[in-house]
Amino acid sequence: LFILSHIRSPKLEDSLEDLHDYIHRLYYSSAKGSPDEALEDLAARLNEELPDFFPEINPDELSAQLDLLIGVVHEETESGLELHFVKTGTTHLLVQHGPTLMDITAQDSPEDETEESEGSFFGAITSGPLAQDDTVIAASASLLDYFSEEKLKQLLEEESSDTLTNSIYQLVD
Protein backbone atom coordinates (compact mmCIF):
# COMPACT_ATOMS: atom_id res chain seq x y z
CA LEU A 1 0.00 0.00 0.00
CA PHE A 2 1.33 3.45 -0.84
CA ILE A 3 -0.12 6.88 -0.17
CA LEU A 4 0.79 10.27 -1.57
CA SER A 5 -0.95 13.24 -0.02
CA HIS A 6 -0.71 16.99 0.09
CA ILE A 7 -2.97 19.52 1.76
CA ARG A 8 -2.74 23.19 0.88
CA SER A 9 -3.14 24.29 4.50
CA PRO A 10 0.02 23.57 6.56
CA LYS A 11 -1.93 23.78 9.82
CA LEU A 12 -3.82 20.63 8.79
CA GLU A 13 -0.71 18.44 8.33
CA ASP A 14 -1.47 16.57 11.58
CA SER A 15 -4.86 15.62 10.13
CA LEU A 16 -3.01 14.04 7.19
CA GLU A 17 -1.02 11.82 9.55
CA ASP A 18 -4.26 10.70 11.21
CA LEU A 19 -5.75 10.05 7.77
CA HIS A 20 -2.73 7.94 6.74
CA ASP A 21 -3.06 5.84 9.90
CA TYR A 22 -6.77 5.39 9.24
CA ILE A 23 -6.18 4.37 5.61
CA HIS A 24 -3.64 1.75 6.68
CA ARG A 25 -5.98 0.36 9.35
CA LEU A 26 -8.95 0.20 6.96
CA TYR A 27 -7.02 -1.39 4.12
CA TYR A 28 -5.19 -4.02 6.16
CA SER A 29 -8.25 -4.94 8.22
CA SER A 30 -10.49 -5.28 5.17
CA ALA A 31 -12.33 -8.56 4.89
CA LYS A 32 -12.24 -8.27 1.11
CA GLY A 33 -10.39 -11.08 -0.61
CA SER A 34 -8.38 -9.23 -3.23
CA PRO A 35 -6.30 -6.04 -3.02
CA ASP A 36 -8.42 -4.25 -5.63
CA GLU A 37 -11.64 -5.09 -3.74
CA ALA A 38 -10.06 -3.88 -0.48
CA LEU A 39 -9.03 -0.64 -2.21
CA GLU A 40 -12.52 -0.21 -3.65
CA ASP A 41 -14.01 -0.69 -0.17
CA LEU A 42 -11.48 1.81 1.26
CA ALA A 43 -12.36 4.42 -1.39
CA ALA A 44 -16.08 4.01 -0.70
CA ARG A 45 -15.52 4.52 3.04
CA LEU A 46 -13.29 7.56 2.44
CA ASN A 47 -15.89 9.10 0.13
CA GLU A 48 -18.18 9.18 3.17
CA GLU A 49 -15.66 9.91 5.95
CA LEU A 50 -12.98 12.16 4.42
CA PRO A 51 -14.63 15.45 5.51
CA ASP A 52 -14.49 14.25 9.14
CA PHE A 53 -10.67 14.46 9.06
CA PHE A 54 -10.74 18.11 7.96
CA PRO A 55 -13.71 19.77 9.73
CA GLU A 56 -12.07 23.19 9.19
CA ILE A 57 -12.63 22.85 5.43
CA ASN A 58 -16.05 23.07 3.82
CA PRO A 59 -16.69 19.60 2.31
CA ASP A 60 -17.50 21.21 -1.05
CA GLU A 61 -14.02 22.78 -1.09
CA LEU A 62 -12.08 19.75 0.16
CA SER A 63 -11.31 18.40 -3.32
CA ALA A 64 -9.62 21.69 -4.18
CA GLN A 65 -7.55 21.59 -0.96
CA LEU A 66 -6.49 17.92 -0.83
CA ASP A 67 -4.40 15.83 -3.21
CA LEU A 68 -4.55 12.14 -2.32
CA LEU A 69 -3.41 9.07 -4.22
CA ILE A 70 -3.75 5.60 -2.70
CA GLY A 71 -2.39 2.58 -4.49
CA VAL A 72 -1.31 -0.98 -4.13
CA VAL A 73 1.02 -3.19 -6.15
CA HIS A 74 0.58 -6.90 -5.69
CA GLU A 75 1.57 -10.09 -7.41
CA GLU A 76 -1.09 -11.94 -9.34
CA THR A 77 -0.27 -15.63 -9.67
CA GLU A 78 -1.00 -15.88 -13.40
CA SER A 79 -0.28 -12.43 -14.79
CA GLY A 80 2.63 -11.03 -12.76
CA LEU A 81 2.35 -7.69 -10.97
CA GLU A 82 -0.84 -5.62 -10.83
CA LEU A 83 -1.20 -1.93 -9.92
CA HIS A 84 -4.46 -0.53 -8.55
CA PHE A 85 -5.01 3.07 -7.44
CA VAL A 86 -7.57 5.77 -6.69
CA LYS A 87 -6.94 9.48 -6.53
CA THR A 88 -8.42 12.84 -5.92
CA GLY A 89 -6.78 16.17 -6.66
CA THR A 90 -3.70 16.80 -8.77
CA THR A 91 -1.51 13.80 -8.06
CA HIS A 92 0.34 11.91 -10.76
CA LEU A 93 1.40 8.31 -11.12
CA LEU A 94 4.30 7.84 -13.50
CA VAL A 95 5.35 4.40 -14.71
CA GLN A 96 8.65 3.74 -16.43
CA HIS A 97 8.32 0.70 -18.66
CA GLY A 98 11.56 0.10 -20.52
CA PRO A 99 12.58 3.39 -22.14
CA THR A 100 9.09 4.89 -21.83
CA LEU A 101 7.88 7.06 -18.94
CA MET A 102 4.09 7.47 -18.88
CA ASP A 103 1.85 9.52 -16.64
CA ILE A 104 -0.95 7.00 -16.28
CA THR A 105 -3.10 9.47 -14.35
CA ALA A 106 -3.06 11.75 -17.41
CA GLN A 107 -5.02 9.03 -19.16
CA ASP A 108 -8.03 9.83 -16.96
CA SER A 109 -10.63 11.24 -19.30
CA PRO A 110 -12.84 14.21 -18.38
CA GLU A 111 -15.81 11.84 -18.51
CA ASP A 112 -14.26 9.77 -15.71
CA GLU A 113 -14.12 12.82 -13.47
CA THR A 114 -17.70 13.84 -14.18
CA GLU A 115 -18.95 10.35 -13.28
CA GLU A 116 -18.04 11.00 -9.65
CA SER A 117 -21.24 11.62 -7.76
CA GLU A 118 -21.96 14.71 -5.71
CA GLY A 119 -19.90 14.62 -2.52
CA SER A 120 -17.68 11.86 -3.88
CA PHE A 121 -13.91 12.35 -3.81
CA PHE A 122 -12.77 9.16 -5.53
CA GLY A 123 -14.02 7.73 -8.78
CA ALA A 124 -13.39 4.24 -10.05
CA ILE A 125 -10.21 2.33 -9.35
CA THR A 126 -7.63 2.37 -12.12
CA SER A 127 -5.85 -0.96 -12.60
CA GLY A 128 -3.24 -2.40 -14.88
CA PRO A 129 -0.32 -4.78 -15.21
CA LEU A 130 3.28 -3.97 -14.30
CA ALA A 131 6.43 -5.72 -15.44
CA GLN A 132 8.90 -6.84 -12.78
CA ASP A 133 11.41 -4.12 -13.76
CA ASP A 134 8.92 -1.23 -14.12
CA THR A 135 9.43 1.79 -11.88
CA VAL A 136 6.42 3.57 -10.36
CA ILE A 137 6.68 7.19 -9.19
CA ALA A 138 3.84 8.79 -7.24
CA ALA A 139 4.24 12.54 -7.64
CA SER A 140 2.51 15.71 -6.63
CA ALA A 141 1.92 18.36 -9.25
CA SER A 142 4.63 20.45 -7.58
CA LEU A 143 7.25 17.75 -8.28
CA LEU A 144 6.51 18.14 -11.97
CA ASP A 145 7.13 21.89 -11.52
CA TYR A 146 10.70 20.97 -10.49
CA PHE A 147 11.26 18.18 -13.00
CA SER A 148 9.85 17.56 -16.44
CA GLU A 149 8.88 13.98 -17.25
CA GLU A 150 11.88 13.91 -19.61
CA LYS A 151 14.23 14.96 -16.80
CA LEU A 152 12.78 12.30 -14.47
CA LYS A 153 13.28 9.71 -17.21
CA GLN A 154 16.91 10.80 -17.60
CA LEU A 155 17.48 10.65 -13.83
CA LEU A 156 15.94 7.16 -13.65
CA GLU A 157 18.33 5.98 -16.34
CA GLU A 158 21.31 7.41 -14.43
CA GLU A 159 20.38 6.52 -10.83
CA SER A 160 18.62 3.80 -8.89
CA SER A 161 15.09 4.60 -7.79
CA ASP A 162 16.24 4.80 -4.13
CA THR A 163 18.99 7.29 -5.01
CA LEU A 164 16.55 9.32 -7.11
CA THR A 165 14.02 9.37 -4.26
CA ASN A 166 16.65 10.67 -1.83
CA SER A 167 17.78 13.31 -4.35
CA ILE A 168 14.21 14.53 -4.83
CA TYR A 169 13.62 14.73 -1.05
CA GLN A 170 16.78 16.80 -0.63
CA LEU A 171 15.77 19.19 -3.42
CA VAL A 172 12.22 19.86 -2.25
CA ASP A 173 12.69 19.60 1.51
Side-chain angles (χ1 to χ4, degrees), residues 10-23:
K11 65 183 176 184
L12 298 176
E13 298 265 336
D14 289 342
S15 297
L16 276 182
E17 289 181 34
D18 293 342
L19 178 61
H20 284 209
D21 291 343
Y22 182 70
I23 289 169

Side-chain angles (χ1 to χ4, degrees), residues 61-114:
E61 298 172 9
L62 188 55
S63 288
Q65 296 293 317
L66 177 67
D67 298 327
L68 184 60
L69 184 141
I70 307 166
V72 61
V73 176
H74 69 98
E75 191 162 350
E76 287 286 319
T77 52
E78 298 98 36
S79 59
L81 296 175
E82 288 284 322
L83 168 69
H84 309 282
F85 70 91
V86 293
K87 70 175 218 107
T88 187
T90 58
T91 55
H92 298 270
L93 200 57
L94 307 168
V95 175
Q96 183 183 26
H97 180 75
T100 306
L101 183 65
M102 300 172 289
D103 183 349
I104 60 175
T105 52
Q107 296 172 2
D108 293 341
S109 67
E111 296 86 35
D112 292 339
E113 293 175 20
T114 57

Side-chain angles (χ1 to χ4, degrees), residues 6 8 20 23 26 44 52-53 55 57 61 66 72 78 88 91-92 97 105 111 122 136 144 147 150 152 154:
H6 175 257
R8 287 168 184 73
H20 284 209
I23 289 169
L26 273 182
D52 297 340
F53 285 90
I57 300 175
E61 298 172 9
L66 177 67
V72 61
E78 298 98 36
T88 187
T91 55
H92 298 270
H97 180 75
T105 52
E111 296 86 35
F122 299 103
V136 177
L144 297 179
F147 300 100
E150 194 58 38
L152 284 172
Q154 176 189 351

Side-chain angles (χ1 to χ4, degrees), residues 19 22 26 44-54 121:
L19 178 61
Y22 182 70
L26 273 182
R45 293 274 303 268
L46 287 175
N47 277 334
E48 295 175 15
E49 300 171 10
L50 202 54
D52 297 340
F53 285 90
F54 307 100
F121 300 99

Side-chain angles (χ1 to χ4, degrees), residues 29-40:
S29 66
S30 174
K32 301 294 181 180
S34 67
D36 57 323
E37 290 174 334
L39 189 60
E40 187 175 331

